[in-house]
Structures are given as C-alpha cells and as structure tokens.
Amino acid sequence: MIGLGKWTGDIETSMLSGSAIVEIKDNNGEYAFSVETDSLKTIPNFTVYNIIENVNTLSGKADVELMGKITVDIFVEFTSESTFEGYIKVPFFGKFEIKNGKKIG
C-alpha cells in the first residue's frame, strides 16, 4: 500500500478554499480515509471506493453528501516520499488541483 500517513494540501475553488488534512490508513488490506479541514466546520459524509493503486498513484471515486449525493473522481500522484500532486474532479464544476501537497505525519 502506498501513501499511508497524514497528508495536507490546498484547494482553491469558488465553493471551498483552504487546506485539508487527509489520513490514509490500512484497514485490513483496504484503504481507509479520514479528512479534516480548516475551511468547513463539519465535513460532509463521504464514501471512498474503487481505489486503484498504480506504482506511485492512487485514483478512485468518492460519493459525497452535499444537498444530495454527488460522485467525484480523485487522483493523487506521490512525487516523493513526502510530496504529492493531485486533483478532485467534480461533475458540472470541473477539475480542482490540490496544491502544496506534503506529508505531515
């Protein structure tokens, strides 16, 4: 499994701006994710699935409860043991780059 640990990155969108902390865990051979953010007081319910690991990348989908369920695409490339680049692709809104990705724990 790749990318285990705590990571932070910045997202700038018209709907959300700020940084988030994502913890990637090994849950008996399956990826598990938790998210914290300084921009939202409460994180919407989400389910991450269809995780594909390919050398130094993780991609998958997440169902997010925001005034109904939306499905987003997630892509992360670990550019070193302590940095990453990525994006979240949201239907009708487009692709949002995750910037300044780095490992924090």
Side-chain angles (χ1 to χ4, degrees):
M1 298 187 89
I2 63 171
L4 300 178
K6 281 192 175 185
W7 300 82
T8 187
D10 300 325
I11 296 178
E12 288 284 328
T13 74
S14 59
M15 302 175 297
L16 176 67
S17 177
S19 61
I21 296 173
V22 176
E23 186 169 9
I24 305 173
K25 302 176 200 171
D26 177 356
N27 183 16
N28 297 320
E30 299 286 327
Y31 283 100
F33 299 86
S34 62
V35 178
E36 302 170 33
T37 179
D38 61 2
S39 303
L40 298 173
K41 290 187 178 12
T42 58
I43 304 292
N45 290 331
F46 67 93
T47 304
V48 180
Y49 59 97
N50 285 354
I51 301 299
I52 299 171
E53 181 181 318
N54 186 9
V55 185
N56 64 335
T57 66
L58 289 177
S59 60
K61 297 193 176 292
D63 288 339
V64 182
E65 294 292 332
L66 285 172
M67 294 185 273
K69 181 177 80 171
I70 62 168
T71 300
V72 300
D73 295 319
I74 303 167
F75 177 83
V76 175
E77 178 180 9
F78 298 97
T79 51
S80 76
E81 289 187 22
S82 60
T83 60
F84 75 92
E85 297 174 354
Y87 65 82
I88 299 171
K89 188 174 178 185
V90 181
F92 307 109
F93 292 99
K95 186 181 346 180
F96 301 107
E97 301 292 326
I98 304 169
K99 300 179 180 180
N100 304 316
K102 61 186 174 196
K103 192 166 192 174
I104 58 172

